[in-house]
């Protein structure tokens, strides 16, 4: 890949902003294009990507001795093609954010992205992303809404047919300092206790709370198969709070559990006022997105 030029920061053309606003606002009720554009412009760079330009490659890792820092993008003009194992599977259109998993969770690229026609993008690396998040933590909620939409699409594709892979393990998503701060913030909320074998939530039900595992372990199931185990410091149930849709999975206590329940009002407030909390949630969703994307790819292989 050619070296990217970050020397200039021209203002996006009005027509590009308008197209981005119209398309993305229609897809996510939480998305506010003006804030997204301001977020990227606060620390990012506008880049021109000519037709045929490779933006990033599948399995590409960032942060190595001879590699460039990963970047995430907001497409202003043009169209980006996405490929997995050299097979085309989708496009990125103006207003879409893409490439975020590598920046948010330091994950290898799960797909290849290439400009189908001449494109203009705004890009951010990891340091720029976190700097911008400190200024506009509410952007985390908007990015979550996009990521949750993609995560639900992967879950729908999998359905009840699961690839033969071991369930993922998730814990310590919130480090001790963040977890202690969260418990202090929500000191008025008594942790909920669930005995081993207790169903905590069911797929298809309305979601009123997300949960942080303080003690114990839970199993997350899609259909009849366990897809994840979540231990102390892990979180679950946040998808329904982001998009107000039905639960995508069922959760059962595998051992006696103590869970910190967070309602939607507190969830929204925490994301908007605690950038570290928002960043932790984004990382958790990003990891799950890639895990499910790989499972979808296995089924389609």
């Amino acid at each position: 890949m050619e070296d990217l030029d970050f020397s200039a920061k021209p203002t996006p053309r009005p027509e590009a902003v308008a197209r981005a606003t119209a398309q993305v606002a229609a897809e996510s009720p939480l998305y506010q294009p003006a804030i997204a554009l301001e977020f990227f412009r606060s620390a990012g760079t506008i880049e021109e990507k000519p037709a045929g330009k490779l933006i990033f490659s599948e399995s590409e890792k960032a942060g190595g001795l001879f590699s460039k820092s990963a970047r995430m993008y907001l497409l202003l003009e043009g169209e980006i093609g996405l490929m997995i194992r050299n097979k085309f599977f989708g496009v990125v259109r103006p207003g879409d954010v893409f490439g975020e998993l590598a920046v948010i969770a330091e994950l290898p690229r799960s797909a290849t992205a290439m400009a189908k026609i001449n494109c203009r993008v705004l890009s951010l690396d990891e340091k720029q992303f976190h700097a911008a998040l400190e200024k506009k933590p509410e952007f985390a909620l908007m990015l979550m809404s996009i990521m949750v939409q993609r995560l639900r699409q992967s879950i729908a594709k999998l359905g009840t047919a699961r690839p033969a892979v071991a369930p993922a393990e998730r814990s310590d998503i919130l480090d001790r300092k963040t977890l202690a701060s969260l418990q202090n913030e929500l000191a008025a909320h008594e942790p909920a206790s669930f005995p081993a074998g207790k169903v905590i939530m069911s797929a298809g039900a309305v979601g009123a709370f997300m949960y942080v595992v303080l003690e114990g372990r839970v199993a997350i199931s899609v259909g009849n198969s366990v897809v994840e185990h979540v231990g102390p410091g892990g979180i679950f149930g946040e998808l329904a709070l982001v998009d107000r849709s039905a639960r995508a999975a069922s959760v059962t206590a595998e051992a006696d559990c103590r869970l910190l329940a967070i309602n939607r009002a507190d969830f929204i407030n925490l994301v908007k006022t605690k950038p570290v909390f928002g960043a932790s949630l984004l990382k958790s969703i990003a990891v799950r997105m890639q895990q499910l994307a790989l499972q979808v790819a296995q089924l389609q292989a």
Side-chain angles (χ1 to χ4, degrees), residues 1 9 23-24 46 93 176 246 254 263 289-290 292:
M1 295 177 65
K9 295 188 179 182
Q23 292 191 32
V24 180
I46 288 185
R93 295 188 172 87
R176 290 184 180 181
E254 288 191 306
N263 62 35
M289 282 178 64
Q290 185 164 79
L292 287 179

Side-chain angles (χ1 to χ4, degrees), residues 222-234:
V222 174
N224 297 319
S225 300
V226 175
V227 297
E228 290 180 293
H229 299 289
V230 181

Side-chain angles (χ1 to χ4, degrees), residues 87-103:
K87 293 182 179 179
F88 173 81
F89 79 94
V91 297
V92 178
R93 295 188 172 87
D96 287 347
V97 175
F98 67 104
E100 70 278 4
L101 303 191
V103 173

Side-chain angles (χ1 to χ4, degrees), residues 69-285:
S69 298
R71 302 189 75 84
M72 60 187 288
Y73 303 88
L74 172 67
L75 181 61
L76 296 176
E77 296 180 20
E79 187 172 272
I80 304 293
L82 300 174
M83 294 169 286
I84 292 180
R85 297 177 183 175
N86 295 319
K87 293 182 179 179
F88 173 81
F89 79 94
V91 297
V92 178
R93 295 188 172 87
D96 287 347
V97 175
F98 67 104
E100 70 278 4
L101 303 191
V103 173
I104 292 169
E106 299 180 349
L107 295 169
R109 298 293 189 182
S110 58
T112 294
M114 181 179 291
K116 295 184 69 176
I117 58 178
N118 292 340
C119 297
R120 301 178 82 233
V121 298
L122 273 164
S123 71
L124 294 167
D125 64 17
E126 182 183 3
K127 290 182 179 179
Q128 291 170 328
F129 170 74
H130 286 287
L133 200 61
E134 287 288 337
K135 299 175 184 177
K136 291 193 170 296
E138 65 272 22
F139 179 75
L141 184 62
M142 294 189 291
L143 186 53
M144 276 181 219
S145 71
I146 298 171
M147 295 169 67
V148 164
Q149 183 180 40
R150 295 173 185 170
L151 187 56
R152 287 186 180 276
Q153 290 170 353
S154 292
I155 293 172
K157 288 178 182 178
L158 287 173
T160 58
R162 305 294 305 177
V165 295
E169 298 283 344
R170 286 196 293 127
S171 61
D172 299 326
I173 294 166
L174 301 177
D175 59 33
R176 290 184 180 181
K177 182 178 179 180
T178 303
L179 187 56
S181 175
L182 185 61
Q183 289 180 276
N184 183 63
E185 185 81 16
L186 301 174
H189 299 262
E190 185 70 23
S193 296
F194 295 88
K198 177 70 175 179
V199 176
I200 300 168
M201 63 177 64
S202 299
V206 175
F209 297 92
M210 66 163 284
Y211 297 90
V212 179
V213 180
L214 301 178
E215 297 176 10
R217 182 166 127 144
V218 305
I220 300 178
S221 303
V222 174
N224 297 319
S225 300
V226 175
V227 297
E228 290 180 293
H229 299 289
V230 181
I235 58 178
F236 63 93
E238 73 279 12
L239 304 193
L241 297 192
V242 173
D243 62 7
R244 293 185 172 182
S245 295
R247 298 291 192 190
S250 298
V251 181
T252 304
E254 288 191 306
D256 293 349
C257 295
R258 288 180 68 249
L259 309 176
L260 181 61
I262 302 175
N263 62 35
R264 192 170 192 275
D266 287 334
F267 168 76
I268 298 296
N269 180 63
L270 286 167
V271 171
K272 290 185 175 181
T273 61
K274 306 289 185 182
V276 173
F277 177 73
S280 297
L281 286 178
L282 285 169
K283 183 174 182 178
S284 174
I285 295 172

